[in-house]
Amino acid sequence: MDIEAFFENMPFADLLDIEITTVDNGYAEGHIEMREELSWNEDQIMAHGGVTFTLADTVGGAALVSLVDQPVPTIDMRIDYLEAGTGDLRAEADVVRHGGDVGVVSVDVYAEDGTQVADARGVYKTG
């Protein structure tokens, strides 16, 4: 499975311009360039929580896809927002558990200045 092509052709990720930049053996990185229409604040560009969540979910899925070589639907995702996401966002994901039926992935999301803006844990269907 061509992981980069799969995520490049995902309509919602494409709509937000999420780019998967690294995928390797249970690890993935991705980013999104912030723009006005992704902000929750009209006075300053700050990522809407849904944008941060979608980035975490997409990059988390990519990390697991690198191990199972098939699409992995999200079963559940929990996210803690730690700071406002200003500037471009970057996510890093590590597979915590790769099971026959489900996989668990830990995802950290960072702002452009390196500040961690979110901490997420996703559960995905693997079988």
Side-chain angles (χ1 to χ4, degrees):
M1 176 177 178
D2 184 344
I3 296 171
E4 284 82 10
F6 175 74
F7 285 96
E8 285 173 10
N9 294 319
M10 184 182 295
F12 191 59
D14 184 51
L15 176 69
L16 296 181
D17 284 333
I18 293 174
E19 182 181 354
I20 302 298
T21 56
T22 302
V23 180
D24 185 39
N25 199 31
Y27 176 81
E29 290 182 14
H31 83 276
I32 186 168
E33 291 182 25
M34 277 303 299
R35 52 192 194 275
E36 187 176 337
E37 61 269 23
L38 301 180
S39 181
W40 67 269
N41 186 325
E42 67 180 304
D43 298 324
Q44 180 182 0
I45 296 179
M46 294 181 182
H48 184 282
V51 172
T52 305
F53 185 96
T54 301
L55 176 63
D57 186 29
T58 303
V59 176
L64 194 54
V65 167
S66 74
L67 296 177
V68 300
D69 201 36
Q70 67 182 26
V72 291
T74 307
I75 295 171
D76 186 42
M77 179 159 258
R78 182 193 191 303
I79 191 166
D80 291 315
Y81 298 97
L82 308 172
E83 295 282 341
T86 58
D88 296 347
L89 300 180
R90 175 180 57 86
E92 298 178 4
D94 285 296
V95 173
V96 175
R97 181 179 189 280
H98 169 212
D101 291 324
V102 298
V104 179
V105 182
S106 178
V107 187
D108 295 317
V109 181
Y110 300 93
E112 197 166 39
D113 67 1
T115 302
Q116 186 175 4
V117 299
D119 176 355
R121 172 86 39 140
V123 180
Y124 303 84
K125 183 169 177 44
T126 59

